[in-house]
Amino acid sequence: MNTQPNSSEHRDEILSKTKEWILKSVIGLNLCPFAKPTFQSNTIRYVISSAKNRKDLLFELETELKQLVLTDPLITETTLLIHPFVLTDFLDQNDFLDDTDVLLDRLDLEGTIQIANFHPQFQFADKSINDITNFVGRSPYPILHLLREDSISRIVDSHPNIDSIYENNRKTLLKLGHEGWQKLGLKFSERN
């Protein structure tokens, strides 16, 4: 298989694995009760980065932040910036969030856009690497998720108990276990 970042075959595979992860994990396990309407309305923008260093990824992120702010939420509610060729180590991606905060501040988008991260090696600071609850943040490729703050506020205001989501996710993943996760058949990046 051609693994060049710009090959359409590779890009199709990345997109396919990402959508499968959303369907089987994020929506299928109800890890994010707000993802299904956005997925079904086709208002998620998927961007597959060809960046191979932090500087190029930061440039692409800036472009996507500006695009999201200028686009009607009925067309693009949220953006997934998938970056399979850079920050393939979770700690590197986690450190990169400091750069994203500086960028949001420089673009005067703090309070307008929030950036969440997903990664094949996602790990909570207080959990061991194999703890099943880490899988709430595990994705087939490293991803920066650009979210509109006003959409988050509407969701929080409309959800009867927003704090219950974390506990529900924990219970779901503990009940599922590693064997159940493997049965989902999700294929994660071979690089991670």
Side-chain angles (χ1 to χ4, degrees), residues 137-169:
R138 298 242 172 125
S139 57
Y141 299 95
I143 297 173
L144 296 173
H145 185 186
L146 286 53
L147 299 138
R148 297 173 188 269
E149 288 273 2
D150 58 345
S151 297
I152 295 169
S153 295
R154 275 194 311 277
I155 288 167
V156 168
D157 292 345
S158 69
H159 197 277
N161 186 5
I162 200 75
D163 295 330
S164 68
I165 295 171
Y166 172 80
E167 185 58 27
N168 291 340
N169 287 346

Side-chain angles (χ1 to χ4, degrees), residues 3-14:
T3 58
Q4 293 303 309
N6 292 325
S7 91
S8 64
E9 180 182 358
H10 193 64
R11 296 174 73 77
D12 290 346
E13 179 184 336
I14 292 168

Side-chain angles (χ1 to χ4, degrees), residues 7-192:
S7 91
S8 64
E9 180 182 358
H10 193 64
R11 296 174 73 77
D12 290 346
E13 179 184 336
I14 292 168
L15 184 58
S16 174
K17 284 182 181 180
T18 300
K19 287 183 176 182
E20 179 183 35
W21 163 70
I22 293 169
L23 278 171
K24 289 182 176 180
S25 173
V26 179
I27 294 172
L29 298 176
N30 200 32
L31 298 179
C32 177
F34 319 111
K36 188 175 182 178
T38 307
F39 186 82
Q40 289 179 330
S41 66
N42 201 28
T43 55
I44 300 172
R45 177 174 162 82
Y46 301 91
V47 178
I48 301 169
S49 171
S50 57
K52 292 188 177 176
N53 59 60
R54 294 167 73 108
K55 182 181 174 187
D56 290 346
L57 181 60
L58 200 60
F59 178 79
E60 287 186 35
L61 176 60
E62 181 173 349
T63 301
E64 290 306 320
L65 286 167
K66 290 175 179 177
Q67 167 123 9
L68 185 59
V69 169
L70 294 174
T71 306
D72 185 327
L74 295 174
I75 304 224
T76 301
E77 173 61 37
T78 191
T79 299
L80 295 180
L81 179 55
I82 308 159
H83 52 94
F85 308 105
V86 63
L87 306 178
T88 56
D89 181 273
F90 174 64
L91 294 178
D92 290 341
Q93 177 168 300
N94 209 37
D95 290 344
F96 185 74
L97 294 178
D98 291 336
D99 296 337
T100 68
D101 288 342
V102 170
L103 179 61
L104 286 172
D105 186 51
R106 183 171 59 80
L107 296 175
D108 199 28
L109 293 177
E110 230 174 69
T112 304
I113 302 290
Q114 186 178 112
I115 300 174
N117 68 325
F118 295 92
H119 198 281
Q121 302 165 357
F122 185 93
Q123 180 180 355
F124 290 110
D126 62 340
K127 302 291 182 190
S128 70
I129 188 73
N130 292 321
D131 190 299
I132 190 65
T133 60
N134 291 323
F135 285 68
V136 73
R138 298 242 172 125
S139 57
Y141 299 95
I143 297 173
L144 296 173
H145 185 186
L146 286 53
L147 299 138
R148 297 173 188 269
E149 288 273 2
D150 58 345
S151 297
I152 295 169
S153 295
R154 275 194 311 277
I155 288 167
V156 168
D157 292 345
S158 69
H159 197 277
N161 186 5
I162 200 75
D163 295 330
S164 68
I165 295 171
Y166 172 80
E167 185 58 27
N168 291 340
N169 287 346
R170 192 181 76 72
K171 287 178 182 176
T172 296
L173 289 167
L174 287 171
K175 183 177 178 184
L176 184 70
H178 289 281
E179 186 177 323
W181 180 268
Q182 289 188 351
K183 286 181 181 177
L184 293 176
L186 296 171
K187 297 171 189 80
F188 279 30
S189 170
E190 294 169 11
R191 296 171 162 260
N192 302 296

